[in-house]
Amino acid sequence: MTHFRPIPLLVPHLPDRHALAPYLEQIDHNRHYSNFGPLNHALEARLASLFEEHATHAVHIATTSSATLGLELTLHNLDLPPGSGVVVPALTFVASLTAILRAGYVPVIADIDPDNWLITPEIAAEAATKTGARAVLAVAAFGQPQNTQRWSAFQQKTGIKVVIDAAGAFGSQWTEAADIPVVYSMHATKSLAAGEGGFVASGNSDLIDEVRQLSNFGINLDTHAGLPVGHLSQVGSNAKLSEYHAAVAHASLDQWPAQAALRQRIHRTYRQTLDASCGEHLQWQAGAILAAPTTFCVGMAQEARARLEQLCHARGIATRRWYQPLLHQHAAKVEPTIKLPVPVAESVASGLIGLPFSSFMTQDDITHVAEAVGLATANTRIQSSLTLDSHHG
Ligand SMILES: Cc1ncc(COP(=O)(O)O)c(C=O)c1O
């Protein structure tokens, strides 16, 4: 019998101690460990100039201790009446839901597009008409970027505020529209990894100043604010990025172009291998080629997924049903929540599976996974695409 080497779902790839050393030496020298220190300041400036390469306006950055806190503070800053509805797609990580609730709003769980698996302005408009929702948290699911220009047009036309949760989309999602804030994660599993961390990017410098103030408890540090420095201006939290995390983010950013190219190459080969062995049984998320993929998700018939999970378990290949249960299924005990029908999300999720992916994957690993996928999908049909066809018309 063939012996299979266990293949983990994800292997984080952070800079090693040698790459970190120059930044840690700066910390030793500065003796500044948090509270908007020099490394954090330099990181925000580096990120801003990177984002400005993809925008026709100035981009401002506020780092946070996680994307979740970045989302919470950005949503809080929308200053909507407590209990306002915020539309969110059913297919996303739970942090999108918890951020809305903790900002004092009510999640309105809506459907996704059958091809790119994202919430669209059309879906959000329909959800807002039905429920009176005042904002949308549009998610760049699995790192697939949202179209900021289209969301900006939606925001201007409807007056409904839009925030983009691009936690896993660094390098693929930019801030082309100045009025749409975008939130990113620097968690260890992301392509720009600091261990923990996040940041908010926006063309609106006032919004970024507010998020920064909220990340520091809400304390006023502005001598021109008409309020004494050190006084509480609003109710924030402690969501500051420490200098140590900023150091890791700098070293990660140094390595990012090489990391991104490697991830892209592995992803391409992986997908080609699967397509060659059983492509007719698989369904992929439509959209842009990702700059630095961090997950590998594929759709198949529900019974094929069940077979694949068993096979993978037996062969030591780790899998995960990413973003499942869907938000409305989690929401059984999480109130208040408005649950709209989400037939497309349910159909997509019924056959969706996350396969192992990391920058350490070898051709052998890919071959082992492809063999299991080929066996599991043999003689199956992609039910989900048949089901989905009915939603096109
Ligand atoms: C869509 C989405 N939103 C938010 C988060 C939370 O990010 P963080 O771990 O930085 O809080 C994640 C994490 O994977 C995510 O995938």
Side-chain angles (χ1 to χ4, degrees):
M1 191 186 144
T2 323
H3 176 72
F4 295 103
R5 173 172 89 85
I7 309 179
L9 185 69
L10 285 173
V11 184
H13 196 161
L14 274 80
D16 65 16
R17 63 190 187 284
H18 304 292
L20 290 177
Y23 297 105
L24 296 180
E25 278 161 21
Q26 285 185 46
I27 297 179
D28 290 347
H29 174 78
N30 296 333
R31 296 207 161 274
H32 202 139
Y33 301 100
S34 186
N35 291 45
F36 313 125
L39 270 83
N40 182 67
H41 195 71
L43 177 64
E44 289 182 345
R46 273 183 90 175
L47 290 169
S49 45
L50 192 62
F51 275 74
E52 282 167 2
E53 289 171 21
H54 300 265
T56 53
H57 51 83
V59 180
H60 308 275
I61 306 281
T63 56
T64 52
S65 52
S66 66
T68 305
L69 262 298
L71 288 168
E72 261 180 64
L73 301 184
T74 307
L75 289 166
H76 173 98
N77 192 249
L78 296 179
D79 229 1
L80 304 173
S84 294
V86 178
V87 181
V88 62
L91 185 70
T92 182
F93 186 56
V94 287
S96 314
L97 185 85
T98 60
I100 295 171
L101 284 159
R102 291 178 59 83
Y105 307 133
V106 175
V108 175
I109 301 172
D111 216 348
I112 54 167
D113 178 88
D115 298 320
N116 67 13
W117 308 344
L118 303 181
I119 188 162
T120 62
E122 293 73 26
I123 296 170
E126 200 183 316
T129 305
K130 278 188 189 151
T131 62
R134 291 173 180 245
V136 182
L137 183 57
V139 179
F142 306 119
Q144 183 58 231
Q146 283 281 358
N147 184 326
T148 56
Q149 308 280 20
R150 287 192 64 216
W151 282 112
S152 172
F154 166 91
Q155 181 173 262
Q156 283 165 32
K157 185 169 156 218
T158 61
I160 296 168
K161 299 282 185 200
V162 179
V163 174
I164 295 183
D165 175 351
F170 178 78
S172 300
Q173 175 76 64
W174 301 104
T175 52
E176 302 88 346
D179 57 350
I180 303 294
V182 187
V183 183
Y184 297 86
S185 172
M186 298 194 290
H187 184 261
T189 53
K190 303 295 185 280
S191 75
L192 178 65
E196 290 279 3
F199 63 94
V200 185
S202 171
N204 180 344
S205 62
D206 291 341
L207 177 135
I208 292 300
D209 288 346
E210 292 278 319
V211 169
R212 189 173 294 122
Q213 185 180 74
L214 285 165
S215 77
N216 188 35
F217 312 98
I219 295 170
N220 173 47
L221 296 178
D222 179 0
T223 48
H224 305 290
L227 183 78
V229 166
H231 281 226
L232 201 61
S233 166
Q234 49 183 338
V235 180
S237 189
N238 182 359
K240 301 186 299 295
L241 189 76
S242 82
E243 287 288 275
Y244 286 107
H245 289 94
V248 184
H250 274 289
S252 240
L253 207 46
D254 295 340
Q255 300 179 351
W256 197 83
Q259 263 289 316
L262 178 60
R263 285 174 180 278
Q264 225 185 80
R265 199 168 61 243
I266 295 171
H267 203 277
R268 191 172 49 240
T269 310
Y270 201 168
R271 179 164 166 175
Q272 282 167 353
T273 309
L274 258 65
D275 270 338
S277 81
C278 54
E280 69 278 19
H281 302 297
L282 304 178
Q283 190 182 38
W284 303 99
Q285 182 178 27
I289 292 174
L290 301 187
T294 53
T295 55
F296 194 89
C297 260
V298 61
M300 59 190 64
Q302 194 169 2
E303 72 273 16
R305 179 178 70 176
R307 268 207 298 275
L308 180 59
E309 285 172 334
Q310 275 184 354
L311 262 171
C312 284
H313 183 71
R315 295 174 176 212
I317 300 170
T319 64
R320 176 86 50 91
R321 294 184 185 183
W322 288 121
Y323 297 160
Q324 292 184 63
L326 296 171
L327 284 195
H328 65 295
Q329 294 159 343
H330 277 289
K333 281 194 187 282
V334 181
E335 295 293 346
T337 324
I338 297 173
K339 298 168 199 162
L340 297 174
V342 292
V344 180
E346 283 173 356
S347 176
V348 169
S350 71
L352 203 60
I353 186 162
L355 297 173
F357 184 74
S358 79
S359 50
F360 300 102
M361 267 190 104
T362 63
Q363 185 58 52
D364 258 6
D365 293 337
I366 292 176
T367 308
H368 285 332
V369 177
E371 202 177 284
V373 177
L375 281 170
T377 55
N379 306 319
T380 63
R381 302 190 59 196
I382 311 175
Q383 284 164 331
S384 46
S385 71
L386 297 177
T387 321
L388 294 178
D389 278 346
S390 63
H391 297 287
H392 277 298

